[in-house]
């Protein structure tokens, strides 16, 4: 059982075939922010969570944050392999 959010985030990145850097770029957060979350140094920010929900709508955020339910909102195989809708523009 995946007990921490960082473990679940790593599972999600592997399932999507994303590196930490590509994921950070896609949700428009600093690469170090993702690295620090995975290392356990920081908790995710509000911006991190909101941007993740926008770019990866198939991800079940309750699963990511709390470990409740399944990784994906929709259990469709095509949804699981779909690329992110769009990366958020850099500001």
């Amino acid at each position: 059982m995946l007990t921490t959010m960082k473990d679940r985030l790593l599972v999600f990145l592997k399932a999507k075939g994303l590196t930490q850097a590509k994921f950070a770029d896609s949700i428009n957060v600093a690469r170090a922010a993702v690295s620090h979350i995975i290392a356990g140094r920081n908790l995710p920010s509000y911006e991190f969570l909101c941007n993740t929900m926008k770019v990866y709508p198939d991800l079940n955020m309750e699963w990511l944050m709390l470990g409740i339910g399944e990784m994906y909102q929709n259990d469709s195989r095509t949804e699981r392999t779909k690329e992110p809708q769009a990366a958020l523009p850099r500001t």
Side-chain angles (χ1 to χ4, degrees):
M1 179 170 177
L2 302 170
T3 58
T4 66
M5 183 179 159
K6 68 179 184 172
D7 293 333
R8 290 184 294 274
L9 180 58
L10 287 170
V11 167
F12 176 70
L13 296 181
K14 184 174 181 178
K16 287 290 191 181
L18 294 169
T19 63
Q20 292 179 31
K22 286 183 181 181
F23 175 70
D25 292 347
S26 74
I27 64 167
N28 197 29
V29 298
R31 291 177 177 186
V34 174
S35 176
H36 290 182
I37 291 166
I38 289 175
R41 287 190 292 272
N42 294 357
L43 294 174
S45 67
Y46 179 76
E47 176 187 31
F48 176 96
L49 296 172
C50 287
N51 290 357
T52 300
M53 287 184 344
K54 289 176 189 172
V55 177
Y56 300 96
D58 59 328
L59 176 61
N60 179 355
M61 293 303 289
E62 193 171 25
W63 172 82
L64 180 65
M65 294 188 300
L66 305 172
I68 297 171
E70 299 298 321
M71 180 171 25
Y72 294 100
Q73 300 271 8
N74 182 340
D75 198 54
S76 167
R77 296 283 176 204
T78 58
E79 285 294 318
R80 289 183 184 193
T81 58
K82 191 165 74 172
E83 290 297 315
Q85 286 190 347
L88 296 173
R90 285 286 221 206
T91 55

